[in-house]
């Protein structure tokens, strides 16, 4: 192989650029120099050793390694409270107090409603709304994430656990364990397989599924089925049994909630030249508070209405939640067995088998939702996905000992927290304390809350989760992205949700693999300084097993039609595998058999070592400088003597 210094190319060059789907056209040739990505001449073919970390530090011993890892920076990174607590002051404390109480007023009615989505008694939503807040104070990396039940996690819990309390609690324990292991092992890259279109399709389908799951409480009817289609078929079959007053109350609550949401978004005096007055600022803040606490206001008002009916009329015309056990649950080990409805006992292996793919889907979706929220409210700061995995893993592990089902970061609560002026994760202390007070002293009043009111709370919030607004920009940017998005959306509605999201991810991966298997490349007909014509072929990406046969076939096709020396420029080939090396070995053997020179230009040292491990040394020829090609061609016995280059036109 030749490795020499890089000369300048003074003569004018023209090249033929070719794409398999384009025609040949004449364009000015670019020069191969340092700015185009050429590597400096290495001393030998093992130059890749320059890029390998030395292992001389292995003699330091474990004590030195631990000392190097356990420093102040790592402490602040893995226990974030140690970074911000020394800087905590009165201003931050007031902001956290207001945000914590405001979020507490939101999380209590939401938790009661979300447990209904999960098919569990209402108190189980509250069980997962306080300990996680306390744990996240120490480990959480985003101040606006109150950990607790979410709409998506609740629906997935219903899909996977089927309303069985023991399975839901064990699911939470295993979800936390998987999230924690993902953080420790650095498996956050798995979340990247859920692309934007797939995430939008999944979120929109889940929003419709959640709204559908509340129709039974809105109309006071029985609805069967687990998928979107099954539930709506059941709704139309049983709609004649609908109550009169439940839907009336439900739709009134929806109208009130949407109206208060709109009022909370108003800002008085924005268009005034001098800005809003003090009175307008106060009114704007009051309207914002009304919109923020709308869920609590509606639940309290309808609860009072239900209490009045029971105490004055003896019964309520609308269905109420019923008795709820009071008190904070005693920490208990998650159940590893349960008794089925047919009186048979399911052990741990049976429970894991019944949970199925949900054990992988739920942790990924919870993490995806949480990290998306963290990015939205990070204020431009970098989000440590690994730390979020560790934090949420411990949150769900802790909640499982409080008999809670899986949860994570909630967008609705994060919006409230951020709008309330939250400063640090310490706001979770006040939110958790409010939930504990509610469990200890107010559950006796929760039984008077109408189910239709809670259904209205969910429906009015979930309507804004349908991401129809991404279709237009996606159509403008890249229409093919609509395919995995729409596929995920349709399949999540037609199939169990975990199967829908997995299928959407698979479809997206197929698109990625197809893109990797069909790289673009340019074909340039060039001349050396000595006038020898050669074909320069430039792939635009790395060579991995999906693309090697395609590239080999097209390189052979271009080479046989020109019968001139061929140079493959490898500037953009930054990685390769054994299959690619084997294909290169076959390609070089084919060229050698038909006496046609083949050279490789600018091969990365790491890629070169992979190719050399398989290809024959006499067939695999690499060079790094333009003028080295002339020496290789002059020394190649397969080429006939060529005429000297014609004199320049201006000579």
């Amino acid at each position: 192989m030749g490795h020499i210094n890089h000369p300048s190319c003074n003569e004018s060059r023209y090249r033929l650029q070719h794409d398999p789907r384009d025609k040949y056209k004449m364009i000015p040739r670019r020069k191969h120099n340092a700015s185009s990505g050429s590597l400096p001449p290495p001393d030998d073919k093992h130059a890749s050793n320059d890029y390998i970390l030395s292992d001389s530090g292995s003699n330091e011993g474990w004590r030195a390694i631990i000392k190097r890892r356990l420093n102040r920076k790592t402490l602040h990174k893995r226990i974030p409270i140690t970074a911000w607590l020394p800087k905590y002051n009165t201003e931050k404390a007031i902001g956290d107090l207001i945000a914590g109480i405001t979020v507490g007023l939101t999380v209590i009615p939401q938790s009661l409603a979300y447990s209904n989505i999960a098919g569990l008694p209402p108190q189980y939503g509250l069980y997962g709304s306080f300990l996680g807040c306390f744990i996240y104070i120490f480990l959480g990396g985003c101040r606006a994430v109150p950990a607790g039940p979410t709409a998506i996690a609740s629906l997935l819990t219903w899909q996977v656990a089927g309303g069985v309390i023991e399975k839901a609690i064990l699911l939470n324990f295993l979800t936390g364990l998987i999230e924690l292991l993902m953080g420790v092992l650095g498996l956050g890259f798995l979340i990247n397989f859920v692309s934007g279109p797939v995430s939008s399709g999944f979120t929109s389908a889940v929003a419709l599924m959640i709204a559908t799951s509340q129709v039974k409480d809105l109309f006071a009817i029985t609805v069967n089925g687990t998928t979107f289609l099954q539930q709506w078929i059941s709704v139309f079959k049983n709609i004649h049994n609908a109550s009169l007053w439940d839907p009336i109350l439900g739709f009134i609550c929806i109208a009130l909630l949407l109206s208060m949401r709109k009022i909370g978004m108003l800002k008085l005096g924005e268009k005034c030249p001098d800005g809003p007055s003090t009175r307008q600022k106060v009114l704007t803040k009051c309207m914002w508070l009304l919109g923020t606490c709308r869920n609590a206001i509606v639940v309290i008002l309808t609860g009072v209405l239900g209490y009045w009916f029971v105490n004055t009329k003896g019964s309520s015309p609308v269905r109420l939640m019923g008795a709820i056990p009071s008190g904070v649950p005693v920490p208990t080990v998650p159940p590893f067995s349960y008794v089925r409805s047919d009186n048979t006992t399911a052990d741990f292996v049976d429970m894991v088998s019944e949970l199925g793919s949900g054990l992988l889907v739920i942790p990924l979706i919870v993490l995806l939702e949480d990290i998306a929220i963290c990015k939205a409210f990070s204020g431009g700061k970098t989000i440590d996905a690994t730390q979020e995995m560790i934090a949420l893993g411990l949150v769900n592990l802790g909640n499982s000992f409080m008999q809670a089902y899986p949860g994570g970061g909630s967008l609705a609560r994060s919006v409230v927290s951020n709008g309330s002026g939250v400063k640090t994760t310490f706001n979770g202390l006040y939110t958790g304390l409010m939930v504990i007070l509610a469990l200890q002293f107010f559950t006796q009043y929760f039984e008077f809350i109408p189910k239709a009111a809670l259904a209205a709370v969910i429906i009015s919030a979930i309507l804004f989760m349908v991401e129809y607004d991404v279709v237009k920009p996606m159509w403008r940017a890249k229409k093919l992205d609509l395919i995995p998005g729409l596929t995920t959306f349709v399949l999540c509605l037609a199939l169990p949700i975990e199967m829908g999201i997995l299928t959407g991810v698979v479809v997206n991966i197929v698109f990625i693999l197809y893109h990797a298997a069909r790289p673009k490349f340019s074909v340039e007909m060039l001349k050396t300084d000595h006038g020898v014509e050669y074909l320069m072929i430039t792939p635009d990406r790395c060579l991995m097993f999906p693309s090697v046969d395609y590239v080999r076939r097209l390189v052979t096709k271009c080479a046989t039609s020109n019968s001139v020396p061929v140079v493959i420029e490898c500037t953009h080939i930054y990685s390769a595998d054994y299959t690619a090396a084997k294909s290169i070995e076959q390609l070089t053997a084919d060229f050698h058999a038909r006496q046609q020179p083949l050279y490789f230009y600018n091969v990365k040292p790491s890629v070169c070592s992979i190719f050399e491990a398989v290809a024959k040394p006499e067939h695999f020829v690499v060079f790094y400088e333009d003028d080295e090609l002339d020496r290789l061609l002059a020394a190649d016995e397969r080429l006939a003597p060529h005429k000297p280059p014609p004199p320049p036109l201006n000579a």
Side-chain angles (χ1 to χ4, degrees), residues 481-492:
D481 284 341
L482 289 172
I483 295 177
L486 291 175
T487 300
T488 304
F489 177 76
V490 172
L491 291 179
C492 284

Side-chain angles (χ1 to χ4, degrees), residues 178-244:
I178 292 172
E179 289 170 342
L180 182 60
L181 287 175
M182 288 177 64
V184 172
L185 299 177
L187 299 180
F189 69 91
L190 293 175
I191 297 175
N192 297 330
F193 285 101
V194 184
S195 65
V198 171
S199 177
S200 297
F202 169 77
T203 303
S204 301
V206 166
L208 295 180
M209 281 288 296
I210 292 172
T212 300
S213 69
Q214 299 307 298
V215 172
K216 65 180 186 298
D217 290 328
L218 193 64
F219 289 93
I221 59 176
T222 301
V223 177
N224 300 317
T226 56
T227 66
F228 181 80
L229 294 177
Q230 291 173 347
Q231 289 189 3
W232 274 108
I233 291 173
S234 181
V235 167
F236 287 118
K237 284 183 178 180
N238 299 317
I239 193 67
H240 62 278
N241 297 323
S243 168
L244 173 63

Side-chain angles (χ1 to χ4, degrees), residues 95-96 98-104 106 142-146 267 285 288 292 373-380 410-425 427-428 431:
D96 287 340
I98 295 173
I101 294 175
T102 307
V103 172
T106 303
C142 182
R143 61 187 180 182
V145 174
K267 294 183 179 180
K285 196 67 176 179
W288 173 85
T292 299
I373 293 171
C374 290
K375 290 180 179 179
F377 297 99
S378 64
S410 169
L411 179 60
R413 295 196 295 271
S414 296
V415 170
V416 171
S417 180
N418 187 69
S420 303
V422 65
K423 301 300 180 183
T424 68
T425 56
N427 71 95
T431 300

